[in-house]
Amino acid sequence: MTLPAPPVAQLLGHAVGQCLPTGPAARSLELAGPGIPTPQPRPDVLLVPRPPLTGEPWRPPGDEGAVVPLDSGVWAYLAHPAEPSPMPATGALPDGVLRDDYPLPQYPWYPLVPHRRAFADTLVGLPAVRGPGLRRFRSA
């Protein structure tokens, strides 16, 4: 799987490297969603937001390709990493002082590690799991 530049590669690179087999036929992954044009040519997989109101993954109009939905907050962080945090400031400031700083995001102490059982259970339903590329997950 080829990942786009940071922050997507920073967040998912370790997990993708552990779980997905390496091989000559690497699939491509890119971010897409509201305000971001769908990359052309279309990558194999799109990381898209899942709006909290509908719960349905966002899809480009007329596109039926593979999408991986992310929580809308995670997607917003990945799609617009320089945007300021929408978190309200707590506490009171003196009159006439406007708060313009935002708290730093919390980073985990360890890299993202996928849940092996959930990953294996998801793969069981895919026809590609019977192929040679995913053999090590069938035998695990």
Side-chain angles (χ1 to χ4, degrees):
M1 180 71 67
T2 58
L3 301 174
V8 176
Q10 289 175 338
L11 179 67
L12 301 176
H14 181 74
V16 167
Q18 275 192 327
C19 290
L20 296 179
T22 58
R27 292 186 176 204
S28 58
L29 178 124
E30 291 286 338
L31 282 167
I36 297 178
T38 304
Q40 296 299 329
R42 188 197 190 279
D44 298 312
V45 180
L46 294 174
L47 282 176
V48 298
R50 181 188 309 255
L53 294 177
T54 63
E56 293 296 317
W58 180 89
R59 283 196 171 273
D63 186 293
E64 293 299 319
V67 297
V68 173
L70 295 174
D71 175 81
S72 59
V74 173
W75 180 87
Y77 171 75
L78 295 174
H80 308 289
E83 290 289 317
S85 170
M87 293 176 44
T90 58
L93 294 174
D95 289 338
V97 176
L98 299 176
R99 186 172 187 132
D100 63 351
D101 63 330
Y102 295 96
L104 293 174
Q106 294 182 356
Y107 291 103
W109 295 16
Y110 49 87
L112 176 69
V113 178
H115 191 276
R116 287 284 196 186
R117 175 77 183 208
F119 187 71
D121 289 349
T122 302
L123 286 178
V124 167
L126 301 175
V129 78
R130 291 171 192 78
L134 297 173
R135 181 172 295 148
R136 71 178 177 151
F137 293 108
R138 279 197 323 252
S139 60

